[in-house]
Amino acid sequence: MENFALELQMSLRLFFGGEKCFGPGPAALLEATDRLGSLRAAAAEADMAYSKAWTSLRNCEQALGFPLLEREAGGRRGGGSRLTPMGRALLTAYRELERRLEEEGGRLLRELLPQLAEEE
């Protein structure tokens, strides 16, 4: 019989004025857009409709009060998207906050439920 240990999994969502403004979905879209140079390509990779991806990020931008992406319309050169400096700063801070919360949450889990928690 296998020995299972209790583990912690958290999902970080940021709220501003009581409204959700950023979370795992938008973070993943920004990372993929940064890597692929296109929100359309990022949406396709996530198996998401482009309109849903665009609406999700537009809602984040409206809630936060600053743009996350710089968009260049298509045409002969194709167009694309890239993170704004504030978008990149938010994404970097969000991922660091996730990392630190996971680390601290794991520590607290081992402290409060040592008999069930996984040892590292």
Side-chain angles (χ1 to χ4, degrees):
M1 187 166 190
E2 291 186 49
N3 186 16
F4 292 101
L6 193 63
E7 63 181 63
L8 179 67
Q9 293 184 5
M10 297 187 298
S11 181
L12 177 62
R13 286 167 177 74
L14 303 177
F15 291 76
F16 189 72
E19 298 292 322
K20 181 181 164 192
C21 64
F22 200 75
L29 280 174
L30 288 183
E31 285 174 334
T33 300
D34 192 37
R35 184 170 29 82
L36 301 169
S38 162
L39 178 57
R40 186 173 300 279
E45 183 178 87
D47 199 25
M48 177 186 290
Y50 171 73
S51 60
K52 182 176 179 180
W54 189 85
T55 299
S56 173
L57 290 181
R58 186 187 65 200
N59 290 342
C60 289
E61 291 174 335
Q62 288 176 343
L64 292 164
F66 59 85
L68 300 171
L69 292 176
E70 295 173 354
R71 298 163 180 95
E72 186 176 319
R76 263 192 272 161
R77 293 181 290 139
S81 298
R82 66 181 172 275
L83 276 65
T84 63
M86 285 293 292
R88 186 170 304 284
L90 174 64
L91 180 59
T92 299
Y94 177 83
R95 291 301 188 205
E96 179 64 13
L97 183 55
E98 268 186 329
R99 186 190 69 73
R100 290 185 190 189
L101 288 171
E102 285 283 339
E103 190 175 277
E104 184 63 13
R107 185 193 69 73
L108 287 170
L109 181 65
R110 289 185 303 279
E111 175 187 317
L112 298 172
L113 292 169
Q115 66 278 22
L116 297 176
E118 188 173 61
E119 289 298 319
E120 290 183 12

